[in-house]
Amino acid sequence: MGTVLGAMRNVRWHELQHAYGSASQVPGVLSRIAWGDRPSSDEALNDLERWIGTPPVFDSTAATVPFLWELAATDTVRDRAGVLDLLATILAAGNPEHPAWTRGAHEAVAEGRGTAVRLAAAVVDTREARRTAGTPDAPGPGVPSPAQALRAAATRLLAAIDGHTCPACPAPPPDAGAA
């Protein structure tokens, strides 16, 4: 498995739940997002969204979020913008019957804010567009490049993190500079 997602083996996935039962399949799905071809990676990202992020969140959601941040920060992952969009979905979701799960998932998303800042500030390399032109992964006319999509998704996620409020999460401390 290498260093990407290497810590997955430290999570007791079989003890956690997602929307359809045991979360024991989550490591395989995360691996498909990391190393799968485009169709496999896309399907895995969609599965994961249905399992852990589309309301409500589950106990497996908070355990999965650090690995999503790792995938978002890994250049070889095919749909890093999609991973960031899933993190935004998790931040917007909740579970009123289990506020601790909601809080844990939201805190895990917020803890990756530094990665989102770095990705939002990344300079879009115009050489990327020239290099991918004519390849199966090349965006069509008027479609943003993967790097542009990544920056946009990171910017949206930053705004969501910075503006996040929900009943399960404690209110942010008042600004020290406010009087």
Side-chain angles (χ1 to χ4, degrees):
M1 220 184 286
T3 58
V4 175
L5 302 179
M8 279 194 311
R9 66 183 165 275
N10 299 328
V11 177
R12 299 172 69 106
W13 296 103
H14 65 283
E15 295 177 5
L16 302 175
Q17 296 292 309
H18 62 57
Y20 301 100
S22 171
S24 61
Q25 315 92 329
V26 170
V29 172
L30 287 167
S31 294
R32 286 182 19 229
I33 294 168
W35 297 292
D37 60 12
R38 173 137 339 258
S40 178
S41 177
D42 290 347
E43 179 184 12
L45 196 54
N46 289 332
D47 286 347
L48 201 55
E49 182 172 359
R50 283 186 292 114
W51 292 356
I52 68 163
T54 304
V57 298
F58 293 86
D59 58 350
S60 63
T61 307
T64 305
V65 168
F67 301 108
L68 292 173
W69 278 118
E70 187 175 351
L71 292 173
T74 302
D75 291 337
T76 56
V77 171
R78 293 186 186 278
D79 188 4
R80 296 163 70 197
V83 172
L84 292 176
D85 288 340
L86 176 53
L87 287 165
T89 297
I90 291 167
L91 188 63
N95 190 329
E97 294 179 22
H98 298 280
W101 293 354
T102 300
R103 187 172 43 260
H106 293 178
E107 288 173 351
V109 172
E111 286 172 9
R113 187 182 186 285
T115 299
V117 167
R118 185 177 54 77
L119 295 173
V123 175
V124 176
D125 187 352
T126 56
R127 293 174 293 177
E128 173 198 12
R130 288 193 298 268
R131 187 179 65 247
T132 60
T135 67
D137 290 339
V143 176
S145 73
Q148 291 167 325
L150 180 63
R151 275 188 74 186
T155 300
R156 287 190 305 270
L157 182 53
L158 276 172
I161 290 170
D162 292 346
H164 177 71
T165 60
C166 79
C169 297
D175 247 354

